[in-house]
């Protein structure tokens, strides 16, 4: 029986060439799998037909936009997940979604190997292969660009030699990965970290320096889930899409950073995530209103570790699953409304309300009606600072 390889297929030059390349290098049949996570571009059926035209024995396409939003983006929102306190994990979230479909296709078609188009320098190779090994430890993984030195020049030559139906003339100066949660741009002149991004780098966001009217939005959450925009019910996908439009029109969600890659190098990345940043900003503020202090303090530690695990490709790991349980529990009372002004590249919270609020006006006010018993504070401070006071006496005596 001929071996079969499932290939993560995008429809572009590199993965189209991979179909024939893998067949020649391994003698295996290739099943192409394309997953729509809201990246836009070509119709899925066009991509499927191209895979078959390039030599795939089977081609599957999956509309996973709602699945991606609800099972991957939503946990990131509940976790306020920002890698290095800035990056909302745009690409890192889409990889386990794709991995799940690759493994399902491998089981369906009796494949022994899964292939992807990543290089040996990035994070995505780890995200694909660590994810696959967690869901299906028996499957092998190959990466033609990395394992068989499939450079772009070789890919173009192979494409022309075989007469594959792929355009090889136009090449973007950037490497771009995008989905409904955001967009990642790297390489080209951005590799010089002194060079400022220019406007043609961006697509999801408008220039925040251009004068325009501010946009006020009210986002409603139920147990950490965005359920309405301005009082109109939405799915998680719709919440992201609508805020991509509205926050993006105000230039919200632009990020230019040098980040620490898992493979040990620093990389300059430009991201856009207007919907993601707006939702995380709103969710964080609603937590400030509804989550008890000690739980909130500990959750911030969990959020950082959760973001690192996801960035590092360990979505399916035992620790990530355990932290998911904590984050879910911490979101049980995160319900209510957040009002934000979107303007000038910023999402600024201007109002909060919740039936689960822990904010007590009578305790907080300095005016008439104050119910806070200030006479208790002196004794509290003496006891609270006692251990430090005792240590200070010893240290000064020495």
């Amino acid at each position: 029986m001929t071996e079969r390889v499932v290939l993560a297929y995008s429809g572009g030059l590199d993965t189209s060439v991979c179909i024939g390349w893998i067949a020649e290098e391994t003698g295996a049949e290739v099943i192409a799998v394309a997953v729509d996570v809201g990246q836009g571009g070509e119709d899925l059926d066009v991509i499927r037909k191209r895979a078959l035209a390039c030599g795939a024995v089977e081609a599957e396409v999956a509309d996973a936009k709602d699945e991606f939003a609800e099972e991957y983006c939503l946990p990131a929102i509940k976790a306020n997940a920002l890698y290095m306190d800035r990056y909302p994990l745009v690409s890192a979230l889409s990889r386990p979604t794709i991995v799940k479909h690759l493994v399902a296709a491998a089981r369906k078609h009796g494949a022994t190997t899964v292939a992807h188009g990543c290089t040996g320098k990035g994070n995505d190779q780890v995200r694909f292969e660590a994810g696959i090994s967690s869901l299906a430890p028996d499957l092998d993984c190959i990466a033609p660009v990395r394992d068989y030195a499939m450079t772009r020049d070789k890919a173009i030559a192979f494409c022309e030699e075989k007469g594959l139906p792929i355009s090889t003339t136009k090449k973007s100066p950037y490497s771009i990965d995008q989905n409904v949660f955001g967009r990642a741009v790297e390489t080209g002149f951005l590799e010089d970290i002194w060079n400022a991004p220019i406007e043609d780098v961006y697509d999801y966001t408008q220039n925040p320096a251009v004068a325009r009217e501010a946009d006020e939005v009210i986002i409603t959450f139920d147990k950490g889930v965005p359920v309405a925009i301005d009082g109109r019910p939405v799915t998680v996908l719709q919440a992201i899409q609508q805020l991509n439009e509205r926050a993006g029109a105000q230039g919200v969600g632009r990020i230019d950073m040098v980040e620490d890659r898992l493979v040990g190098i620093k990389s300059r990345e430009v991201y856009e995530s207007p919907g993601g940043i707006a939702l995380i900003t709103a969710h964080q503020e609603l937590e400030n209103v509804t989550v008890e202090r000690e739980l909130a303090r500990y959750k911030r530690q969990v959020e950082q570790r959760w973001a690192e695990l996801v960035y590092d490709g360990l979505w399916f790991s035992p620790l990530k699953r355990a932290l998911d349980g904590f984050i879910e529990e911490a979101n049980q009372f995160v319900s209510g409304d957040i009002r934000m002004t979107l303007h000038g590249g910023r999402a600024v919270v201007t109002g909060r309300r919740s039936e689960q609020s822990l904010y007590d006006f009578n305790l907080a006010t300095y005016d008439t009606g104050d119910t806070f018993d200030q006479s208790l504070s002196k004794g509290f401070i003496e006891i609270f600072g006692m251990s430090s006071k005792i240590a200070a006496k010893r240290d000064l005596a020495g």
Side-chain angles (χ1 to χ4, degrees):
M1 181 178 174
T2 305
E3 291 288 313
R4 288 190 150 192
V5 175
V6 166
L7 170 68
Y9 185 65
S10 69
L13 172 68
D14 289 343
T15 54
S16 293
V17 168
C18 276
I19 294 171
W21 194 290
I22 290 169
E24 285 197 1
E25 291 285 339
T26 68
E29 295 178 338
V30 177
I31 294 102
V33 176
V35 182
D36 182 1
V37 287
Q39 64 266 37
E42 294 178 306
D43 180 82
L44 281 177
D45 195 52
V46 172
I47 292 174
R48 186 186 68 82
K49 289 175 179 174
R50 181 178 302 140
L52 295 171
C54 288
V57 296
E58 300 269 4
E60 292 192 1
V61 294
D63 181 348
K65 294 191 291 294
D66 278 298
E67 174 191 347
F68 175 55
E70 293 171 9
E71 298 180 23
Y72 300 87
C73 299
L74 177 57
I77 294 165
K78 289 182 175 180
N80 302 319
L82 298 169
Y83 179 68
M84 295 177 68
D85 298 321
R86 296 181 68 194
Y87 168 45
L89 300 171
V90 169
S91 297
L93 292 171
S94 73
R95 300 321 185 219
T97 319
I98 297 167
V99 161
K100 201 170 178 181
H101 285 269
L102 293 174
V103 170
R107 295 299 189 222
K108 176 181 174 182
H109 295 285
T112 56
T113 303
V114 176
H116 59 80
C118 304
T119 71
K121 290 178 69 173
N123 299 307
D124 282 341
Q125 57 179 336
V126 185
R127 293 165 182 161
F128 276 115
E129 295 183 29
I132 290 162
S133 65
S134 293
L135 293 182
D138 56 302
L139 293 178
D140 293 324
C141 294
I142 58 173
V145 175
R146 179 193 68 196
D147 301 340
Y148 304 135
M150 196 190 84
T151 63
R152 184 173 176 85
D153 290 344
K154 289 181 180 178
I156 291 173
F158 186 91
C159 185
E160 292 173 347
E161 176 192 339
K162 304 295 183 183
L164 300 181
I166 305 294
S167 170
T168 61
T169 52
K170 183 182 178 184
K171 182 178 185 293
S172 168
Y174 316 113
S175 172
I176 298 170
D177 180 65
Q178 63 190 43
N179 57 54
V180 74
F181 205 58
R183 189 166 174 268
V185 185
E186 63 178 4
T187 72
F189 79 95
L190 296 172
E191 289 179 343
D192 182 337
I193 59 176
W194 186 250
N195 288 338
I198 56 178
E199 276 303 307
D200 77 352
V201 166
Y202 300 104
D203 184 55
Y204 284 14
T205 56
Q206 300 299 311
N207 187 344
V210 174
R212 54 175 65 87
E213 288 293 314
D215 185 6
E216 186 176 271
V217 62
I218 297 175
I219 305 173
T220 303
F221 291 87
D222 180 22
K223 296 184 178 180
V225 182
V227 294
I229 303 290
D230 290 333
R232 291 184 292 274
V234 291
T235 64
V236 179
L237 177 61
Q238 289 168 341
I240 296 169
Q241 290 172 328
Q242 290 181 26
L243 288 165
N244 276 343
E245 288 291 324
R246 293 175 65 173
Q250 299 287 337
V252 174
R254 291 187 174 187
I255 302 156
D256 177 4
M257 64 185 290
V258 174
E259 72 186 39
D260 290 317
R261 282 189 180 177
L262 178 61
V263 294
I265 63 176
K266 289 186 181 288
S267 174
R268 198 267 189 92
E269 307 281 342
V270 173
Y271 296 111
E272 298 175 280
S273 182
I277 292 298
L279 284 164
I280 289 173
T281 300
H283 181 267
Q284 283 176 321
E285 187 61 17
L286 189 56
E287 282 194 339
N288 290 344
V289 174
T290 59
V291 177
E292 182 271 334
R293 182 189 66 193
E294 295 306 314
L295 175 56
R297 287 179 174 179
Y298 195 80
K299 184 172 183 288
R300 283 189 279 275
Q301 299 176 48
V302 171
E303 290 169 358
Q304 178 177 334
R305 191 70 189 100
W306 192 94
E308 290 168 350
L309 289 168
V310 175
Y311 182 88
D312 290 348
L314 296 175
W315 180 273
F316 300 105
S317 67
L319 177 55
K320 155 68 172 49
R321 287 199 305 272
L323 295 184
D324 283 340
F326 171 86
I327 290 167
E328 195 65 27
E329 174 63 26
N331 272 269
Q332 288 308 297
F333 296 106
V334 185
S335 300
D337 300 321
I338 294 293
R339 187 180 64 235
M340 292 196 305
T341 298
L342 309 172
H343 190 239
R346 300 178 65 210
V348 179
V349 174
T350 62
R352 320 109 175 108
R353 63 188 176 196
S354 171
E355 293 183 0
Q356 309 296 337
S357 174
L358 298 177
Y359 177 85
D360 186 323
F361 177 87
N362 292 323
L363 286 173
T365 185
Y366 285 87
D367 294 331
T368 303
D370 180 3
T371 60
F372 188 91
D373 187 349
Q374 297 192 39
S375 67
L376 299 175
S377 294
K378 181 174 175 59
F380 164 74
I381 294 168
E382 288 180 3
I383 294 173
F384 181 74
M386 186 179 294
S387 65
S388 294
K389 182 179 180 179
I390 293 169
K393 287 180 177 178
R394 179 203 63 191
D395 297 345
L396 291 172

